[in-house]
Amino acid sequence: MTRQRTVVASRMGLCCLYLLALGISLLSWPAWAQDAPSTATGRQPGNGPELKSDLQIAPVQGISAANPTAVQPGTELQSAGTVPAPDGTTPAEPKSPPQGAITYGPPGQFPWQAPFKPFCACTPSLDESPNPSDIAFRFGWWGVERSGNPWVIGQWQSTDSSPFWDVDGLWTNGTRTFNYWATGSDNESTQAKVQYYGPNSQGFIDFNRFPHAEEHENFNNMNASALIPGTGPGSGQPVIAQDLNKGQDYAIRVDQYEAQYKFNLVGQPGKDDFWLKSGINIWDQQEMGDRQANNTVHCFMMQSATQQRSCHVLSQAQSINWNTFEVTPILEGKFGRVNIQYSHSLRVFSVDDQTVIGQYTDGGANILNGDFPYAVVPQSLFNMDKIKIGIDLNDHNRIYGYGYFSEVENSEAGVSREQGGFDLRWTNTTFKGLNLTTYVKNDDQSGNRPTELLSPDQTQGLTHAQQEAELFQLPNQIGFTRYTAGEKFSWRPWTGTCDSFLARLAFTGGYEFDDIIRANENWYFPSLSALPPTFNISPTTPVFFQPNTLSNSFNIGVQVPWMESIHTYARYKIKFIHDDLYGYTPLNYAVNSSLPDTENIIEFGGEWFPSLRFGAAFNQTINLSSRSGNPLPIAANPILVSTSPGDTLNFGEESYSTSLVFWYRPEDKLTLSVNSDYFANQIKQNITIGDDSSTSFSGSGSNFASFAPYTSPWNYGGTAVEFGGSLYYQFTRRLRFTADYEVTFGKDLITSGGVVVGSGTPVVNTFIPLGSYSAVRNVMQQAKAGFDWKLRENLSTYLRYQLVDFNDRADSSNSGSMNMVMAGMSLRW
C-alpha cells in the first residue's frame, strides 16, 4: 500500500493520510457510534467491545465448528496455534476460524457487492482532530460459571473469571506513524503489538501469549478381550496399565514473539528503477508446562506357550520446556526489469525437559531389564537458503523463479536430512483475454542413518556389540525426488466487448504431470535367523518394494455471470495416480493403502443478490476417490506369489461439503444472516491386523503362541451438520445490539467386517470392539449477545454474554458448559 511520505497541508490530504494510517494499523473511531451500521471488527467479531476497529469491510466470522473451543473473551475467535514438531520443522501458523461457519454482516460483505471507492474520497467531519493521534483504554470483567469437564470448552482459553483490558493508540505526523496496542483477554491470554511506518523503513514487534490445555488419556479400554484376542493359557491381565497421574489434566503455556524490520538501502521501491532494500525477521516460540508421557513395552514380545503374553503401558506427567528460535536476514533489489531476493533462515530447536523413567521389569536374557528414560525429544538445527527471481521480459511475458536448499540436523544422534528444489514459472498474456502459465517444479529429500545411539537414553543395558547390532538394524531414511510440470490458463474469450453476459464469461483449466522417485523404500528380512525354516531367501533380497509414483491431473472450470444479480460457477478435476504408497504386512503378504489411484473432485455453486438488501450464496463440493488391485511383492519368487491371498487392496472414499448462506437487511439499522453447512466423509478400506511377525519368525511354532493375521474390510463414517445465524441492530446512534448463535452436530464411527479377504470364509472378528472406542457423537452450541452504549462523546460502555456448551453423547464425562458475562467501559482521548 502506497504511504504518504510528505506532510499534506490541506485538510483533505490530512483526512486521507489519517484514514490510511488507520487502515494500516487496524485502528479507527468506533464505527458503531455512526448512524450507518458497520461490521464487527476482524479481531473480535461481536465477542467483546470493538477494538482496533478499522475502515475495511470484513465478513463477520461465525463460531468455529471444527475448533469450537477457540473462543477467548474479548478477542477474535481463534485457535492459538500448534506446538512445533520436535524435529524443528517449521511451526504451523495459528489457525484461522474454519470457513465452514459462514456468516455475513451488513452491506458490502459479498465480494461482488462492495463497490470500489477511492480510499481518499472523504470529506472532513466536525469530529476530526487537526492532529491525527489518538489513544483509547478499555477495561471490563468476565464473570464465568462453569460445569462439567473443562477440557473441551477451555482448551484454548481460561475457564475462570478474569479481568479484560485493552490499550490502543496511534501517533502520526504525516510522515511517520506509530501504532501500538495491548490486550489482556483473560487470565491466561495476552497480546501486544507495536508498528512503525516511515518514509524509508517499517517494522513491528508482536507478542502473543495463550494456553493449550490437554486432556488426560485414560486406560479404560486397556483390557485383554479388546486388544489381544486369543491370549492363550495363563492367568492375570495381559495388558498391565499403570497410570501414575490418573485424573490429572495437563496444560502448556505458549509464548510467541515476532519482529520484522525493513529499510531501504538505495532508492525507493515503486518509485525508482534501481533500488535495494534489506530486512530481518525474528521469530521465537516457547512451550512450557506439563504433558502426559506414555510408554509401551514388552507388547507382542516372544514368550513361552505356557506363559502369559503381557504388555506394559505406563503413563506419568512430564514437565517440558521447548524453545524454537528463528532468524532470517533478507536482501532484495530491483535492477530494471529484474527483481531478486535472497534470504537465509536459521532455526534452533532446544529442549530442557524433565527426565521420566520407564521400568522394564519383565526382561530376560534377550530383553531389556531395568529402569530407562523415555519420551526424550531431540534438539535440532535447521538452515535454509532461498532465492527468488522475477523478470519482466516485456509487457506480455514474465518469468518467476524460486530455488532453495535446506538441512535439518540432529547432532546428538548424527542424523541429518537435506531438502532442495526449484520452482520456475512463465506467464504469457500475448493473446487478448488469455492468461497462460507454464511451470516446472522439483523437490529432493534425502537423509542418513544414525551414526550412534543416544547415550545414556538408548545405550543403557546394551553391550557394545548389542549397540552395533541395533544400529545395523536401523533402516536408511526414505528419500525421494519429485518432478512436477504443468500448464494453467484463464480465458475470457469476449473480453473488451460491451458489458454483457459474454464479456464476463470466464474459463479456467490446466494439466499437471507429477513423478515421485523414491529411495530406500524396500522391505527386507533383517537376518537369516529371522526367516521361517521353509523360506530359502537371502536376507538381502527385498520381499516388497515401492515403485515410483506417477500422476496425471486435468481440471476445467467455468464462471457464468447470467446477469448482474446471478453468478454461477462449476469446476471439475480428475487425477490418475499410478503406484502410490502401499502398506505391507510380511506374514500374509497383504498390501493396504489409504491413498487413491483415481480422484474426482466436482465443485459448483452460485451467488444471488437481487438487491442491496438481500443476498444468498451456495457451494457444493464432491470428492470421490478409489483404489483397488494388489501389487505382488516380487513376481519372480514363486513362494511369495503363491502365498499371496489375492486382491487385498481395496480403498474407497466419498466426501461431501455443502454450504448455504442467506443475508438480509430489511432496513438500514437491521441486518440478519443465517447459514447452514453439511460435511460428510465415508471410507471403506481393507485392513490387515494381527501380523505378529516377531513370534512367528522366531523358533518353532509349536513352542510359541502366534496370532494369525487376516485382512477384512473396515468402514469409517463421519458427518457434521451446522446451523447458525446472527443479528445486528443499530437501535439509535448511540446504542447497538449484536447476537449470533451456532450449533454443530458431529458423528463419527469405525466398524470392522468379519470376512477374511481372499478366502471368503466367515470368521469371528475378535477385533470388532476396537470400533466402539472410535465412536463420536457430540453437540456443540455457542451463543453470543451484547450491546454497546455510547454515554458521551469519548465514553462508552458495553455488556456481553457468551455461552459455550459441549455435550458428548458417546462419553458424558467429556461434557461441559460455560456461561460468561462481561461488562466494561471504554475511554478515548
Side-chain angles (χ1 to χ4, degrees):
M1 183 182 294
T2 303
R3 295 180 173 82
Q4 301 287 349
R5 290 178 169 86
T6 59
V7 177
V8 182
S10 67
R11 191 170 180 80
M12 176 66 72
L14 184 59
C15 168
C16 297
L17 177 61
Y18 188 29
L19 291 182
L20 180 60
L22 294 181
I24 295 173
S25 60
L26 303 180
L27 174 68
S28 74
W29 171 247
W32 55 264
Q34 309 301 322
D35 288 325
S38 64
T39 66
T41 63
R43 288 188 58 246
Q44 53 169 56
N47 188 35
E50 294 212 357
L51 308 179
K52 292 77 182 174
S53 55
D54 52 27
L55 298 178
Q56 65 183 1
I57 298 176
V60 178
Q61 298 287 346
I63 303 174
S64 163
N67 190 14
T69 60
V71 182
Q72 298 193 15
T75 61
E76 179 181 4
L77 302 176
Q78 63 177 355
S79 170
T82 57
V83 175
D87 63 357
T89 55
T90 303
E93 293 291 335
K95 299 178 181 178
S96 300
Q99 296 301 313
I102 304 176
T103 58
Y104 289 89
Q109 302 307 340
F110 292 107
W112 34 256
Q113 199 178 21
F116 172 77
K117 295 182 179 180
F119 195 79
C120 290
C122 61
T123 57
S125 67
L126 297 178
D127 294 334
E128 289 181 0
S129 168
N131 182 13
S133 300
D134 207 356
I135 186 170
F137 176 66
R138 305 167 181 89
F139 60 91
W141 184 271
W142 279 108
V144 180
E145 182 273 329
R146 176 181 60 83
S147 62
N149 192 323
W151 177 71
V152 175
I153 59 177
Q155 186 176 7
W156 299 102
Q157 65 181 346
S158 171
T159 59
D160 299 324
S161 298
S162 58
F164 166 83
W165 58 269
D166 177 83
V167 177
D168 197 348
L170 172 76
W171 178 90
T172 181
N173 63 1
T175 303
R176 293 173 175 82
T177 300
F178 284 94
N179 174 49
Y180 51 92
W181 58 266
T183 299
S185 54
D186 58 37
N187 287 329
E188 306 295 340
S189 304
T190 307
Q191 289 181 284
K193 190 168 189 176
V194 177
Q195 297 169 293
Y196 167 74
Y197 299 93
N200 289 299
S201 63
Q202 58 180 290
F204 71 83
I205 300 175
D206 193 1
F207 170 72
N208 192 12
R209 166 181 172 266
F210 55 86
H212 182 197
E214 295 183 342
E215 186 182 24
H216 186 88
E217 298 178 7
N218 297 314
F219 295 152
N220 298 332
N221 59 342
M222 294 292 179
N223 57 76
S225 61
L227 295 185
I228 306 182
T231 55
S235 61
Q237 284 288 349
V239 177
I240 304 172
Q242 185 180 11
D243 192 345
L244 302 183
N245 299 81
K246 187 173 183 179
Q248 175 180 344
D249 290 330
Y250 306 93
I252 296 174
R253 161 74 56 209
V254 182
D255 293 341
Q256 292 180 342
Y257 307 85
E258 184 177 6
Q260 293 184 10
Y261 187 65
K262 306 175 185 177
F263 52 93
N264 299 331
L265 296 175
V266 179
Q268 290 186 346
K271 289 187 176 182
D272 302 317
D273 290 336
F274 170 72
W275 53 264
L276 185 65
K277 68 178 182 180
S278 182
I280 185 169
N281 301 338
I282 298 176
W283 187 88
D284 184 83
Q285 177 169 286
Q286 187 170 19
E287 298 87 26
M288 301 169 291
D290 296 328
R291 68 169 179 170
Q292 183 176 3
N294 295 333
N295 190 30
T296 304
V297 297
H298 298 155
C299 286
F300 308 109
M301 294 303 295
M302 175 177 61
Q303 297 288 340
S304 169
T306 60
Q307 292 180 307
Q308 182 69 47
R309 296 165 51 84
S310 64
C311 180
H312 182 196
V313 182
L314 172 66
S315 172
Q316 58 183 309
Q318 181 187 26
S319 296
I320 66 169
N321 188 346
W322 299 349
N323 184 264
T324 305
F325 175 79
E326 179 179 300
V327 57
T328 304
I330 302 173
L331 184 64
E332 182 178 0
K334 184 177 182 181
F335 311 90
R337 293 179 175 269
V338 180
N339 185 286
I340 186 169
Q341 181 191 93
Y342 169 77
S343 65
H344 178 86
S345 297
L346 170 65
R347 184 186 311 135
V348 180
F349 178 76
S350 57
V351 299
D352 184 16
D353 297 344
Q354 173 190 2
T355 301
V356 289
I357 303 297
Q359 297 180 350
Y360 297 72
T361 57
D362 296 333
N366 299 318
I367 303 176
L368 288 179
N369 189 359
D371 298 339
F372 303 99
Y374 72 98
V376 178
V377 178
Q379 303 185 111
S380 63
L381 178 68
F382 175 83
N383 284 275
M384 172 178 278
D385 291 280
K386 295 184 291 184
I387 186 169
K388 301 178 183 179
I389 301 177
I391 306 176
D392 294 321
L393 298 178
N394 51 46
D395 293 340
H396 300 288
N397 292 275
R398 176 176 173 80
I399 294 177
Y400 169 81
Y402 169 74
Y404 64 96
F405 177 80
S406 66
E407 181 183 24
V408 59
E409 179 182 2
N410 177 1
S411 58
E412 298 178 26
V415 178
S416 65
R417 188 166 184 85
E418 296 180 347
Q419 180 178 3
F422 61 84
D423 184 342
L424 299 176
R425 296 175 182 264
W426 171 36
T427 301
N428 179 273
T429 58
T430 302
F431 300 98
K432 187 177 182 179
L434 179 62
N435 188 308
L436 294 172
T437 300
T438 305
Y439 61 92
V440 58
K441 297 185 291 185
N442 164 259
D443 185 44
D444 184 88
Q445 293 191 32
S446 61
N448 65 295
R449 295 194 313 173
T451 58
E452 57 182 332
L453 299 178
L454 296 179
S455 178
D457 307 333
Q458 297 175 332
T459 59
Q460 295 186 60
L462 299 179
T463 64
H464 179 74
Q466 290 174 326
Q467 294 179 31
E468 293 297 322
E470 287 289 329
L471 284 172
F472 178 78
Q473 298 293 336
L474 294 176
N476 291 313
Q477 291 191 39
I478 294 178
F480 67 86
T481 300
R482 184 171 193 166
Y483 296 98
T484 304
E487 182 78 27
K488 298 189 296 182
F489 73 87
S490 62
W491 184 35
R492 295 178 61 185
W494 296 277
T495 184
T497 61
C498 298
D499 188 14
S500 63
F501 163 80
L502 292 178
R504 298 187 297 270
L505 185 65
F507 298 90
T508 59
Y511 163 76
E512 182 175 279
F513 169 79
D514 190 84
D515 182 16
I516 302 178
I517 305 171
R518 296 184 177 86
N520 302 325
E521 79 288 356
N522 296 343
W523 190 91
Y524 299 86
F525 285 112
S527 64
L528 288 174
S529 61
L531 298 175
T534 58
F535 278 32
N536 185 19
I537 307 175
S538 169
T540 60
T541 301
V543 296
F544 177 74
F545 65 95
Q546 171 63 53
N548 298 334
T549 299
L550 301 175
S551 64
N552 295 271
S553 62
F554 305 83
N555 68 89
I556 188 72
V558 59
Q559 180 174 335
V560 185
W562 299 100
M563 58 184 66
E564 286 293 338
S565 60
I566 300 178
H567 294 176
T568 61
Y569 59 88
R571 290 182 282 267
Y572 173 67
K573 180 178 181 180
I574 184 170
K575 188 173 184 179
F576 303 98
I577 306 102
H578 182 65
D579 286 335
D580 215 335
L581 282 175
Y582 303 101
Y584 172 65
T585 50
L587 273 191
N588 64 347
Y589 314 106
V591 289
N592 298 277
S593 180
S594 59
L595 300 175
D597 59 13
T598 303
E599 186 174 9
N600 295 271
I601 302 176
I602 304 169
E603 183 181 9
F604 58 90
E607 301 159 341
W608 180 40
F609 40 100
S611 72
L612 293 177
R613 296 188 177 274
F614 180 80
F618 168 76
N619 176 269
Q620 176 67 59
T621 302
I622 303 171
N623 191 329
L624 306 176
S625 305
S626 63
R627 185 174 185 178
S628 61
N630 179 28
L632 299 176
I634 293 183
N637 192 309
I639 298 178
L640 299 183
V641 172
S642 62
T643 55
S644 177
D647 187 8
T648 60
L649 198 157
N650 191 357
F651 168 80
E653 180 177 8
E654 299 178 2
S655 299
Y656 304 90
S657 172
T658 306
S659 176
L660 184 62
V661 179
F662 291 96
W663 169 81
Y664 181 47
R665 186 185 179 194
E667 57 179 284
D668 291 342
K669 295 185 176 182
L670 179 62
T671 302
L672 303 171
S673 67
V674 295
N675 69 283
S676 177
D677 303 279
Y678 172 75
F679 307 93
N681 183 245
Q682 304 290 329
I683 297 176
K684 184 177 182 180
Q685 177 184 359
N686 285 345
I687 297 178
T688 299
I689 51 180
D691 185 5
D692 194 5
S693 57
S694 62
T695 54
S696 298
F697 288 164
S698 301
S700 171
S702 59
N703 295 330
F704 298 94
S706 176
F707 305 135
Y710 66 87
T711 303
S712 61
W714 289 64
N715 298 277
Y716 163 82
T719 59
V721 181
E722 178 189 39
F723 300 96
S726 64
L727 175 148
Y728 172 99
Y729 185 46
Q730 189 77 40
F731 185 70
T732 67
R733 185 179 183 275
R734 296 179 177 271
L735 184 61
R736 183 194 70 176
F737 295 95
T738 57
D740 58 63
Y741 172 78
E742 181 179 280
V743 57
T744 304
F745 302 89
K747 182 179 181 181
D748 297 321
L749 183 63
I750 298 177
T751 58
S752 59
V755 177
V756 177
V757 176
S759 68
T761 304
V763 298
V764 178
N765 191 341
T766 54
F767 293 92
I768 285 180
L770 287 176
S772 64
Y773 297 114
S774 68
V776 174
R777 291 184 297 114
N778 56 51
V779 179
M780 185 73 182
Q781 298 184 80
Q782 297 192 73
K784 296 183 294 181
F787 71 83
D788 295 84
W789 183 21
K790 185 177 179 181
L791 300 175
R792 300 180 62 182
E793 192 63 28
N794 295 325
L795 177 63
S796 61
T797 185
Y798 48 83
L799 180 67
R800 294 289 185 273
Y801 168 76
Q802 183 169 305
L803 167 69
V804 182
D805 181 81
F806 178 77
N807 181 14
D808 192 333
R809 296 178 176 178
D811 184 357
S812 60
S813 64
N814 293 325
S815 299
S817 64
M818 184 165 54
N819 292 276
M820 308 168 64
V821 178
M822 181 178 69
M825 302 188 72
S826 176
L827 302 175
R828 174 178 177 267
W829 63 91

